[in-house]
Amino acid sequence: HGSWGFNKNENDELIRNSCFYLSLATSYLHGIQAITCNFHGDECECDKSKESESFGCIKPDPLHDADKALQSETALQLKRLIESAVVSSHPEWVAQGKVGEEVQAFSDFLVYVLDSLSMISDWAVVVFDSLSGFVEVYKGKHYHLSEQDEAWSASNTITVRYSSGHYQPLLFVAEEGETKMKGDKELKIEGNEDAFENSCKRPNLKKILDVLDQHNVFYVVTDGSE
């Protein structure tokens, strides 16, 4: 999967198997419009015809460099936060090799932070398993669904895709004349600005679950408020 799973720690040392945290960070930062890069799965659109040494983005632009730095820093913070909670509950997992600097993390780690005081308790993380078709939802204690706060709930709905031990951010990105769910299907919209604007909105958890129900997709919600 190229360089996507690599990040750097506080000592500027390269660490592998960070795709889960990079995916969470990218989806989150995209939702709050904190990054400018557009992604196809885990690949930046800057220049898909060339190889990159850092997160698939090679365009010599300060904004893209800033995106990569923020992406990396946020992913590392999430790793430290989540794995600290995991180790607090299961200290034996370190010796067993289930948690570590370069050990692949998995979505069920989120269970340990859903009711925490961190920003993750404001999130609803939706993990689409592209192999099984199964969907996992991890709903934070403070994530709420209300019509008045639809924008807030949408920006705090984090979507990622899982495939063969690898995670990718799953992003809704609007482009002129079309909207795409990166890493998934494309939807072409022409000649109707209202339809285009409505379709480009990032969905909140309620909208995602409604679609899953309509298509009889099996999913399980782990609720941090229960």
Side-chain angles (χ1 to χ4, degrees), residues 4 19-20 23 104-107 127 160-162 165-169:
W4 173 250
C19 61
F20 178 59
S23 297
Q104 172 68 60
F106 290 95
S107 55
V127 182
V160 300
R161 181 173 64 176
Y162 174 77
H166 180 67
Y167 290 91
Q168 297 174 305

Side-chain angles (χ1 to χ4, degrees), residues 41-186:
D42 52 17
E43 184 180 41
C44 179
E45 283 186 334
C46 297
D47 191 341
K48 294 180 290 182
S49 64
K50 300 178 182 179
E51 292 183 355
S52 169
E53 296 181 355
S54 180
F55 308 145
C57 180
I58 68 170
K59 188 176 180 179
D61 186 316
L63 285 177
H64 293 282
D65 291 340
D67 278 353
K68 290 183 289 183
L70 181 59
Q71 197 177 36
S72 175
E73 180 182 355
T74 304
L76 184 61
Q77 291 176 347
L78 290 171
K79 175 180 174 66
R80 297 299 184 229
L81 173 65
I82 293 171
E83 294 186 0
S84 175
V86 172
V87 171
S88 178
S89 296
H90 294 282
E92 72 280 4
W93 284 6
V94 177
Q96 294 173 3
K98 296 180 179 179
V99 183
E101 192 72 339
E102 294 191 304
V103 177
Q104 172 68 60
F106 290 95
S107 55
D108 51 6
F109 280 12
L110 293 169
V111 170
Y112 300 95
V113 290
L114 294 179
D115 62 351
S116 67
L117 297 177
S118 71
M119 67 179 181
I120 299 176
S121 67
D122 290 336
W123 290 0
V125 181
V126 186
V127 182
F128 296 84
D129 189 326
S130 62
L131 296 178
S132 69
F134 177 75
V135 178
E136 295 177 315
V137 178
Y138 297 89
K139 181 174 174 290
K141 181 178 182 178
H142 299 116
Y143 182 91
H144 51 87
L145 293 169
S146 66
E147 293 181 1
Q148 294 82 1
D149 295 314
E150 184 175 350
W152 179 92
S153 62
S155 67
N156 282 283
T157 300
I158 312 301
T159 49
V160 300
R161 181 173 64 176
Y162 174 77
S163 177
S164 301
H166 180 67
Y167 290 91
Q168 297 174 305
L170 194 57
L171 310 176
F172 286 82
V173 179
E175 298 178 358
E176 185 177 357
E178 64 178 14
T179 180
K180 299 179 180 179
M181 186 171 184
K182 300 302 183 184
D184 197 26
K185 299 179 180 178
E186 297 186 3

Side-chain angles (χ1 to χ4, degrees), residues 22 25-39 63-64 66-71 74 171:
L22 287 166
T26 303
S27 184
Y28 166 67
L29 293 170
H30 185 271
I32 62 173
Q33 301 180 2
I35 54 178
T36 60
C37 283
N38 287 334
F39 288 83
L63 285 177
H64 293 282
D67 278 353
K68 290 183 289 183
L70 181 59
Q71 197 177 36
T74 304
L171 310 176

